[in-house]
Amino acid sequence: MSLSIWGLFLLLLLLLTTLGWLAMRAAADRAVPWLAQRTVDLHARADEGLFQHAEASVRRLQAELLRRLDAADPDATQARFSTLFARSPDGLWRLRPELVDVANAPTLYLHQPPRGLTPSAKIRAVVSHDLLREQGPALVPPFYSAYMDFVEDGLMVYARDKDWGSAADASYTNTGYPTMQGSEPRHNPARKVFWTPVYQDRQANAWMVSVIKPLDWHGQWVGTVGHDVSVQTLLDTIAASHDDEGTRLIVDADGNLIAHPHLRERIAAADGHLQLANLNEPALTQAFALLSGSHADSGVGRTADGRQWVAWSKMRGPGWYQVYLLPQARVDNLLLWGLLGFFGLGVLGLLPVVWLLRRRVRRLFAAPLQRLTLAVDALGQGRTPAPIAMQGDDELGRLAGAFDAMVEELTQQHALQATHAHLLQTEVDERRQFMTRLEEERARLLALLGAMKRGILFADANGRVTYCNTAFLDLWKLPTTVSLAGHFACDVFDMTRSTVVDKAGFQNHVRKALSNHDDSSQFETALQDARILLLGSHPVRDAQGRHIGWLWIHEDVTHERQTAEQLIQLAERDTLTGLHNRRKFEDVLTEFFRGTERTPSQAALLFFDLDEFKYINDTFGHRAGDTVLARIATEAMTLVRDDDLLFRLGGDEFAVLMPHASISDAQHLAERIVRKIAQTPLVLQDRTLQLTTSLGIAHYPTLAGNMPDLLAHADTAMYQAKHLGKNRWRVYHPDRDAAQEMLAHMGWNDRIARALEHNLLRLHFQGIYRAHNGHLAHLEALVRMVDEANPDTLIQPAQFIGHAEKSGRILDIDRWVIRESIQLLASHPHLPALAINVSGRSFDDPELSDYISAQLHEHHVSPKRLLVELTETSAVTDLSDASRFIDALRRTGCTICLDDFGTGFSSFAYLKYIKADVLKIDGMFIRDLPHMQDNQVFVRAIIDVARGMGKQTVAEFVEDGKTLLMLRELGVDMVQGFHLDRPRANHPAFNAPPAMLEPG
């Protein structure tokens, strides 16, 4: 029976395989031509796009050139010819050297005819120069060049970074070029666009083809307009195609082979004109014969010898043909694999049928007999057989039922005995597993405690040590060979007490810890070797809450305490001079006035700055200025008393707080400071300079009743001294308050109001560029004011922003800048983004974020294109208001930039609360960066932290190439500064796509 079943299986399998082969053969003869034609059509359409674009572009250029030629003013244009071009000593006309800009403008070489240049030639030279300068950068790329030939033997060409004019010499000529020959009326009477043969451009090291449109003006042929189009990528794609998927090639209508994956060198040797007839390649010859004989732009067929499928499709433009050769052997190979797959499917389909048939026979006859035989054998050997459980009323079924009933009675007796034995064994196994888990947990706990860097000591309820890890011994410098287990904890701590500085405090901590069964305690102590340990004691209780011992955890916190001290030192000290900084000044002054509420006292405050310090920075550089500030700080430190505090508030501003000092004490110190600075010689770059200072004095409570008044009066007194001739000091008196300054301040308020009313504010723009490639990232808008007295002069923001902030007019200026910037973004959709500065006073304006959102919505501007810059100083002055303002701005979708980042020591900490997207590193860290090692470390830290938090960084004040290179090495994202771009009203970004812009 089994042989009959397997014979039927083989017969069916053979029949299915034969039918499958015939069906696949018929399907292949239909599918292969369709797939081949589809493949070559897709490649042809994909590759011809650039050619069609080139034809359309050259037609448009020719039409635009003719339009401009007809509209040109002959006299003005000829006059302008002399300003643009000059005749070189070799006789060629070229663009004047000072006007050569190969990145943005075309170049020219033009031969001088025997009778001189005609007015027509001069007009065409000027008009074509302006046209290519305007449109060339947008066309190159995608095209390699855009140019115009002159019948007078010359060429106006734009090719990015290629100076054709300077490269040409007197032997250069375009007379015999295919571009000129194909444009002659006798060769091209219809004046059609035509394509040159392919050629190798040696300078670009690429294969090119040119598309040409004849140029006729005033009824005469005057030249051509054309593009050079690189086909190197197309040829490389053909060369990289794989043979196992068929062969792709390109031929022209004359039978010249242009691209082939294996004949690249021969095509290059033939200068792109390799005739198929000269190759002795039967497959290629038959393929071209099939193509040329069809007289159709596309088609598919099989070669005469039947070995190749050939599909072709004509590419519009140069008229080349994409050809796809698929060997018949490849198709036959695929059919063979398909037959094998069909055979495998047949095997998989028939095997289950045969298996089910055999399974049916086995279930009905063989299996019941085998089960019955095995059951009888098992019972005879004393084992309990499994139930036969046969269904049916036949003889086999009745016999199996009787046998199962007999076995069931025996099984029940054995089950009762086995159950009792199993229960006993289960209990033993559970106890063994519980003990194993306890041992494993103990081993893991000991490993964990041993690996900890904190010292661990366990003691039982009697105070005896039960465990001590290696770290505990290391912390207390105890030998690792000593075992403390079994010793009393108090004895162990007696052994370590000699290394403790505060022995009494340490002993008191141990005594209280051993007597306390309820609460944990901590004690920090210094050791003789200058280390600091944090000692923690914790009572230990079991699950029922009973006290079972103590746990001591000892930790070396020396590094943490030293770090904290260093952080405090850095937070309160000026890094340049080592003096207390502005933050420390504010804290000390606040603490002093808080103390005066409890205990009345007096104090004097001195403000002074250096006269004409800006001259030092501008003349000798900021490094020299830093040297001067450090010297002045050193000299001033020698004059103040031990109780006095000297601060550097920023720039060249200093302050001295004299607690418990009288006005007389302050006057005496002021005189010494002014005299000392005036007598201190400073040598800078072999020049000896003499600086002076202006100093103001305010006294509490004599001349000021609170901290704001004290600060304001000291500042006013300093400016009174400066107005009186500098190099002197003055004590603040109310009757001497600067009335003239108040009038000036009021005058500025009026000027700002008139500027807002009469639209006298202007925006200038400075580019922010990507550091890695120099492309424009976005612009920053900077406000200026037109001087009413001299409309040609712009007032810088430093002169009026301070007055605007004091008067509240800054809020109106902020809204004006926001409105103007959003309108600019709407009218210039190609601009990537625009950054604006918002003052700290605007944090209190709850409607500003809604105003920004409404303006963006009204002008249909994406919020991502607007960056809002906030200075770090203003943001951290009132952190809660700044956080609320930034959260509201983020809901509008705008990007938040934190300006002047790094001016405060706690800058990194503020990032947790100020959710900024971009950090602009303060310029004081960037200026002279290659020579400032400390600044390099700080800038690298800012960049690393910003990258870790997913933020971008901008470095401002980039003033030289060395600084730019270093910033790129440090990994900054964007750069800004005079080395790259200067603020200006007519920024090039408004006239060109930003991707084309680079610093300049």
Side-chain angles (χ1 to χ4, degrees):
M1 184 179 293
S2 295
L3 291 176
S4 299
I5 294 173
W6 284 111
L8 179 62
F9 168 73
L10 293 176
L11 181 62
L12 290 173
L13 185 60
L14 181 61
L15 178 61
L16 288 173
T17 303
T18 303
L19 292 175
W21 168 258
L22 295 175
M24 287 189 294
R25 186 73 183 187
D29 288 342
R30 291 178 176 270
V32 168
W34 182 85
L35 289 173
Q37 183 65 62
R38 184 67 173 167
T39 299
V40 78
D41 284 342
L42 289 175
H43 284 300
R45 300 293 80 77
D47 294 336
E48 73 183 5
L50 183 61
F51 300 138
Q52 290 182 289
H53 181 29
E55 283 191 3
S57 176
V58 81
R59 286 191 178 94
R60 182 187 60 76
L61 274 179
Q62 189 248 23
E64 178 64 14
L65 181 58
L66 287 174
R67 186 189 68 78
R68 295 192 181 194
L69 287 172
D70 292 337
D73 183 347
D75 295 334
T77 306
Q78 291 188 59
R80 190 162 173 259
F81 179 86
S82 299
T83 65
L84 289 175
F85 308 103
R87 193 175 181 191
S88 304
D90 59 2
L92 293 182
W93 286 91
R94 293 185 177 89
L95 191 67
R96 291 186 179 274
E98 65 271 14
L99 300 179
V100 173
D101 181 6
V102 295
N104 299 298
T107 58
L108 167 77
Y109 77 86
L110 181 60
H111 287 268
Q112 171 82 356
R115 296 183 180 179
L117 287 179
T118 65
S120 171
K122 293 182 179 181
I123 294 174
R124 280 180 278 123
V126 172
V127 173
S128 61
H129 172 272
D130 293 343
L131 178 61
L132 292 184
R133 182 185 61 183
E134 175 185 329
Q135 301 190 14
L139 296 174
V140 180
F143 311 125
Y144 180 74
S145 67
Y147 56 86
M148 185 198 122
D149 284 299
F150 292 79
V151 295
E152 291 85 356
D153 196 3
L155 179 65
M156 176 76 70
V157 57
Y158 175 80
R160 186 183 298 278
D161 299 328
K162 299 293 187 301
D163 188 354
W164 289 94
S166 298
D169 55 34
S171 65
Y172 271 49
T173 178
N174 64 349
T175 303
Y177 283 7
T179 58
M180 298 297 289
Q181 292 179 349
S183 295
E184 288 188 20
R186 57 193 177 92
H187 295 152
N188 191 352
R191 319 311 285 153
K192 294 181 179 180
V193 173
F194 65 93
W195 291 81
T196 67
V198 68
Y199 59 92
Q200 173 81 24
D201 190 303
R202 305 302 179 187
Q203 185 173 1
N205 193 24
W207 287 94
M208 300 282 185
V209 66
S210 300
V211 56
I212 305 300
K213 175 67 175 172
L215 181 65
D216 296 336
W217 188 41
H218 291 169
Q220 293 184 345
W221 175 49
V222 296
T224 69
V225 177
H227 287 307
D228 289 340
V229 182
S230 174
V231 294
Q232 187 65 46
T233 302
L234 173 59
L235 302 186
D236 291 343
T237 302
I238 296 296
S241 59
H242 301 287
D243 289 347
D244 55 356
E245 299 296 337
T247 302
R248 286 178 56 200
L249 56 125
I250 296 178
V251 298
D252 63 15
D254 297 327
N256 291 314
L257 183 61
I258 296 173
H260 190 283
H262 304 303
L263 300 176
R264 196 171 185 178
E265 294 182 358
R266 295 188 62 181
I267 294 172
D271 199 18
H273 303 89
L274 181 63
Q275 274 286 334
L276 290 173
N278 300 331
L279 289 175
N280 195 22
E281 292 283 346
L284 298 180
T285 305
Q286 294 181 48
F288 184 70
L290 184 64
L291 181 154
S292 58
S294 68
H295 303 293
D297 289 344
S298 64
V300 65
R302 195 157 18 195
T303 58
D305 59 6
R307 293 184 179 182
Q308 299 281 343
W309 284 97
V310 182
W312 67 92
S313 182
K314 189 174 183 179
M315 293 188 294
R316 287 168 288 184
W320 298 343
Y321 288 89
Q322 280 268 4
V323 182
Y324 179 59
L325 302 181
L326 180 63
Q328 180 64 42
R330 173 64 178 167
V331 177
D332 294 340
N333 189 33
L334 292 174
L335 289 176
L336 179 60
W337 279 105
L339 181 63
L340 292 176
F342 193 81
F343 180 83
L345 291 175
V347 171
L348 294 177
L350 292 176
L351 276 178
V353 177
V354 176
W355 179 79
L356 288 173
L357 183 61
R358 292 185 72 253
R359 186 172 180 273
R360 181 72 175 172
V361 173
R362 178 177 176 80
R363 188 176 67 83
L364 292 177
F365 301 103
L369 291 175
Q370 184 179 10
R371 286 160 59 190
L372 185 59
T373 301
L374 292 175
V376 172
D377 291 343
L379 188 62
Q381 295 173 6
R383 295 181 285 110
T384 301
I388 300 175
M390 292 177 56
Q391 304 295 328
D393 295 332
D394 56 7
E395 290 79 358
L396 288 175
R398 289 195 295 274
L399 178 61
F403 186 82
D404 286 343
M406 178 185 68
V407 170
E408 186 177 359
E409 293 182 4
L410 294 174
T411 302
Q412 290 178 355
Q413 296 178 4
H414 289 301
L416 293 174
Q417 299 173 0
T419 299
H420 181 66
H422 178 70
L423 291 174
L424 292 176
Q425 185 62 41
T426 299
E427 183 177 356
V428 172
D429 291 343
E430 288 179 349
R431 292 186 177 182
R432 183 180 295 111
Q433 292 174 1
F434 179 73
M435 294 301 297
T436 301
R437 287 196 298 271
L438 284 179
E439 289 296 327
E440 291 174 352
E441 289 296 331
R442 181 176 182 276
R444 283 193 287 268
L445 179 60
L446 291 177
L448 174 63
L449 295 175
M452 292 179 65
K453 293 185 179 180
R454 297 181 179 182
I456 304 296
L457 183 74
F458 282 105
D460 59 19
N462 297 321
R464 289 185 179 272
V465 175
T466 59
Y467 174 80
C468 170
N469 68 353
T470 305
F472 183 89
L473 299 175
D474 293 339
L475 286 176
W476 291 105
K477 303 298 182 181
L478 297 174
T480 56
T481 56
V482 173
S483 175
L484 300 182
H487 291 76
F488 283 102
C490 58
D491 295 337
V492 172
F493 290 123
D494 284 341
M495 296 167 56
T496 63
R497 186 174 58 178
S498 60
T499 63
V500 177
V501 175
D502 184 7
K503 296 180 174 55
F506 176 70
Q507 187 173 6
N508 185 49
H509 165 70
V510 173
R511 179 181 55 78
K512 288 184 177 180
L514 290 172
S515 62
N516 190 347
H517 295 178
D518 298 320
D519 300 322
S520 300
S521 62
Q522 282 191 336
F523 177 71
E524 187 172 299
T525 183
L527 303 185
Q528 300 289 349
D529 58 3
R531 288 183 298 135
I532 301 175
L533 298 186
L534 180 61
L535 315 179
S537 170
H538 308 274
V540 181
R541 297 184 178 277
D542 60 13
Q544 288 73 36
R546 293 173 298 186
H547 179 261
I548 60 173
W550 291 270
L551 164 65
W552 277 276
I553 301 178
H554 293 182
E555 180 182 2
D556 187 343
V557 294
T558 307
H559 179 70
E560 287 79 356
R561 299 300 180 264
Q562 291 174 346
T563 301
E565 292 179 0
Q566 292 173 357
L567 291 176
I568 293 172
Q569 179 77 4
L570 289 173
E572 296 179 348
R573 292 286 180 176
D574 174 50
T575 57
L576 175 64
T577 62
L579 302 179
H580 294 297
N581 58 16
R582 179 180 289 275
R583 186 178 302 278
K584 179 64 174 177
F585 172 71
E586 294 172 351
D587 292 343
V588 170
L589 205 57
T590 301
E591 185 62 27
F592 171 79
F593 277 94
R594 188 179 293 117
T596 59
E597 296 176 359
R598 300 186 299 270
T599 304
S601 182
Q602 63 175 347
L605 179 61
L606 284 66
F607 274 8
F608 66 94
D609 67 5
L610 302 179
D611 300 327
E612 308 300 337
F613 180 70
K614 184 177 184 299
Y615 170 79
I616 299 293
N617 279 335
D618 293 344
T619 305
F620 301 100
H622 290 273
R623 295 185 66 182
D626 291 345
T627 302
V628 169
L629 292 174
R631 175 71 182 278
I632 295 301
T634 302
E635 297 295 338
M637 279 295 297
T638 63
L639 303 177
V640 299
R641 305 175 307 181
D642 293 340
D643 294 339
D644 299 338
L645 295 174
L646 177 61
F647 305 88
R648 181 192 175 204
L649 303 183
D652 63 328
E653 296 182 359
F654 296 86
V656 180
L657 179 62
M658 304 177 66
H660 317 298
S662 65
I663 294 181
S664 175
D665 296 333
Q667 292 173 332
H668 178 67
L669 178 59
E671 177 63 29
R672 296 177 63 202
I673 291 175
V674 171
R675 185 171 60 254
K676 183 68 173 181
I677 293 176
Q679 295 174 351
T680 300
L682 299 170
V683 180
L684 298 177
Q685 299 179 6
D686 299 329
R687 293 177 58 184
T688 301
L689 301 179
Q690 208 75 31
L691 283 183
T692 61
T693 184
S694 298
L695 186 148
I697 303 172
H699 190 264
Y700 170 84
T702 308
L703 303 174
N706 51 51
M707 185 172 74
D709 287 349
L710 185 67
L711 293 170
H713 294 170
D715 188 60
T716 301
M718 180 181 71
Y719 280 99
Q720 289 174 346
K722 195 175 292 292
H723 292 158
L724 291 174
K726 306 177 183 178
N727 193 25
R728 65 191 66 217
W729 55 268
R730 279 294 177 271
V731 178
Y732 173 81
H733 289 288
D735 55 344
R736 297 180 189 169
D737 208 344
Q740 187 176 0
E741 293 182 11
M742 181 61 68
L743 289 175
H745 180 66
M746 294 174 63
W748 272 111
N749 290 344
D750 292 339
R751 293 178 69 179
I752 294 170
R754 289 195 301 274
L756 289 167
E757 181 180 355
H758 299 294
N759 195 28
L760 297 180
L761 296 180
R762 299 289 183 268
L763 286 180
H764 281 203
F765 306 92
Q766 186 176 26
I768 289 89
Y769 296 88
R770 300 285 179 192
H772 68 282
N773 59 13
H775 288 175
L776 180 70
H778 61 271
L779 297 176
E780 180 178 3
L782 305 168
V783 68
R784 306 286 190 264
M785 181 190 294
V786 176
D787 190 346
E788 294 175 290
N790 187 3
D792 294 332
T793 302
L794 292 178
I795 302 173
Q796 297 300 312
Q799 296 180 253
F800 63 87
I801 289 297
H803 298 285
E805 288 180 338
K806 293 179 181 179
S807 65
R809 284 290 187 178
I810 191 66
L811 302 179
D812 298 325
I813 294 177
D814 282 349
R815 294 205 175 207
W816 183 88
V817 171
I818 291 167
R819 183 173 63 255
E820 291 293 318
S821 298
I822 293 176
Q823 290 177 359
L824 278 173
L825 288 172
S827 60
H828 296 82
H830 64 272
L831 280 180
L834 195 60
I836 60 174
N837 293 275
V838 173
S839 68
R841 290 288 299 271
S842 293
F843 295 167
D844 300 328
D845 187 354
E847 299 177 356
L848 185 60
S849 59
D850 294 335
Y851 177 77
I852 293 175
S853 180
Q855 288 289 315
L856 291 169
H857 179 73
E858 177 183 348
H859 295 284
H860 307 288
V861 174
S862 171
K864 290 295 183 184
R865 297 178 63 205
L866 185 67
L867 286 78
V868 181
E869 291 193 6
L870 314 170
T871 62
E872 178 189 338
T873 306
S874 61
V876 303
T877 301
D878 193 335
L879 199 58
S880 59
D881 285 347
S883 297
R884 286 193 296 270
F885 181 70
I886 291 172
D887 290 341
L889 280 180
R890 293 183 70 87
R891 286 193 293 272
T892 68
C894 296
T895 302
I896 308 301
C897 177
L898 193 59
D899 198 2
D900 297 337
F901 184 77
T903 53
F905 174 75
S906 303
S907 297
F908 293 140
Y910 298 142
L911 292 180
K912 296 193 299 183
Y913 309 102
I914 303 175
K915 305 300 182 181
D917 305 295
V918 181
L919 305 182
K920 181 176 284 190
I921 305 171
D922 188 77
M924 71 175 182
F925 299 110
I926 305 302
R927 187 184 287 113
D928 210 15
L929 181 66
H931 307 290
M932 302 293 287
Q933 184 69 27
D934 294 343
N935 287 358
Q936 295 172 20
V937 175
F938 195 79
V939 171
R940 183 181 288 107
I942 293 177
I943 294 171
D944 291 343
V945 170
R947 185 179 294 113
M949 299 181 72
K951 304 178 187 299
Q952 291 192 309
T953 51
V954 179
E956 58 181 355
F957 287 89
V958 180
E959 297 179 352
D960 54 67
K962 291 183 179 180
T963 302
L964 178 60
L965 291 176
M966 176 164 287
L967 287 169
R968 285 176 177 168
E969 295 174 359
L970 295 176
V972 75
D973 297 301
M974 291 170 279
V975 288
Q976 175 184 9
F978 284 0
H979 178 65
L980 307 161
D981 198 359
R982 290 181 177 269
R984 43 187 160 171
N986 56 341
H987 198 279
F990 290 100
N991 302 318
M996 308 296 293
L997 288 175
E998 295 184 357

